Amino acid sequence: NAGVTQTPKFRILKIGQSMTLQCTQDMNHNYMYWYRQDPGMGLKLIYYSVGAGITDKGEVPNGYNVSRSTTEDFPLRLELAAPSQTSVYFCASSYSGTGSEQYFGPGTRLTVT
Amino acid sequence: RKEVEQDPGPFNVPEGATVAFNCTYSNSASQSFFWYRQDCRKEPKLLMSVYSSGNEDGRFTAQLNRASQYISLLIRDSKLSDSATYLCVVRTGTASKLTFGTGTRLQVTL
């Protein structure tokens, strides 16, 4: 199993551009999550999904959108990128919502200039 | 007050030392507790869950004190490979939404 994979690994965007961060898991997990991690800060939840077709906002959803058309994929869309979105983005998945381990992808380092 | 608070460190300890980290959480309704490990520029990985009765995994011991709302991690016989940032993580509510502390950095030296 590849686990959770994310693409791209690195990206530089200009202010106002848009992009999609890809996330795929091959563990048949129902739950998927997107986090961002700023330097010296804890991970903040952006969006999460409890199954295909269902998404919900986390702590910091503004400026982002997600979709979950399949169990495996959970892309994160940035519209009109801003410097405040410079961060490391981690996708994660878990089998269930109650105490099961979250498995993280390797992250995408995004810089907006 | 932050939901999950940790001393950022760094904790610099020699190989073989015992080191302990504490973490406090603000929501008394929190249900599950974890320690994750994050190596530099890598993703977090689960180190261990923390149970009310305390639990041990090799050189690592985790304790939970619900009354005082703190969690601890003890590492015995530190190895160079233990150098990492240790994240205190708390689950409150449904859907496995986790709240992460900012992490405590450990540096084990020769």
Side-chain angles (χ1 to χ4, degrees), chain A residues 42-61:
Chain A
L43 278 77
K44 302 289 186 188
L45 182 64
I46 304 170
Y47 270 95
Y48 67 99
S49 169
V50 302
I54 306 169
T55 62
D56 209 345
K57 295 178 180 178
E59 188 181 353
V60 290

Side-chain angles (χ1 to χ4, degrees), chain A residues 69-107:
Chain A
S69 56
T70 67
T71 298
E72 295 79 18
D73 300 305
F74 190 40
L76 177 71
R77 176 92 180 150
L78 276 71
E79 305 281 2
L80 298 175
S84 60
Q85 293 178 305
T86 294
S87 191
V88 181
Y89 291 84
F90 289 103
C91 178
S93 73
S94 65
Y95 176 69
S96 75
T98 52
S100 64
E101 177 180 358
Q102 289 191 12
Y103 295 83
F104 285 80

Side-chain angles (χ1 to χ4, degrees), chain B residues 70-110:
Chain B
Y70 82 78
I71 305 148
S72 65
L73 177 68
L74 182 79
I75 305 175
R76 290 182 300 277
D77 190 22
S78 299
K79 312 289 185 194
L80 291 173
S81 57
D82 293 334
S83 298
T85 296
Y86 290 83
L87 307 175
C88 177
V89 184
V90 172
R91 183 179 69 87
T92 306
T94 59
S96 196
K97 289 162 66 175
L98 302 180
T99 300
F100 287 77
T102 54
T104 297
R105 194 156 72 87
L106 172 66
Q107 184 67 50
V108 181
T109 57
L110 286 171

Side-chain angles (χ1 to χ4, degrees), chain B residues 6-109:
Chain B
Q6 297 181 249
D7 181 343
F11 284 62
N12 294 301
V13 302
E15 233 185 344
T18 296
V19 62
F21 308 137
N22 289 330
C23 160
T24 58
Y25 61 95
S26 62
N27 191 333
S28 60
S30 298
Q31 296 145 306
S32 303
F33 309 90
F34 311 90
W35 284 101
Y36 275 70
R37 170 191 169 131
Q38 186 173 24
D39 293 304
C40 188
R41 300 176 77 83
K42 299 285 191 181
E43 71 273 22
K45 292 184 180 177
L46 180 67
L47 177 68
M48 58 197 300
S49 300
V50 186
Y51 303 117
S52 297
S53 54
N55 49 298
E56 194 173 301
D57 183 1
R59 298 181 293 109
F60 299 84
T61 301
Q63 299 274 359
L64 168 64
N65 184 321
R66 284 190 184 270
S68 302
Q69 294 181 206
Y70 82 78
I71 305 148
S72 65
L73 177 68
L74 182 79
I75 305 175
R76 290 182 300 277
D77 190 22
S78 299
K79 312 289 185 194
L80 291 173
S81 57
D82 293 334
S83 298
T85 296
Y86 290 83
L87 307 175
C88 177
V89 184
V90 172
R91 183 179 69 87
T92 306
T94 59
S96 196
K97 289 162 66 175
L98 302 180
T99 300
F100 287 77
T102 54
T104 297
R105 194 156 72 87
L106 172 66
Q107 184 67 50
V108 181
T109 57

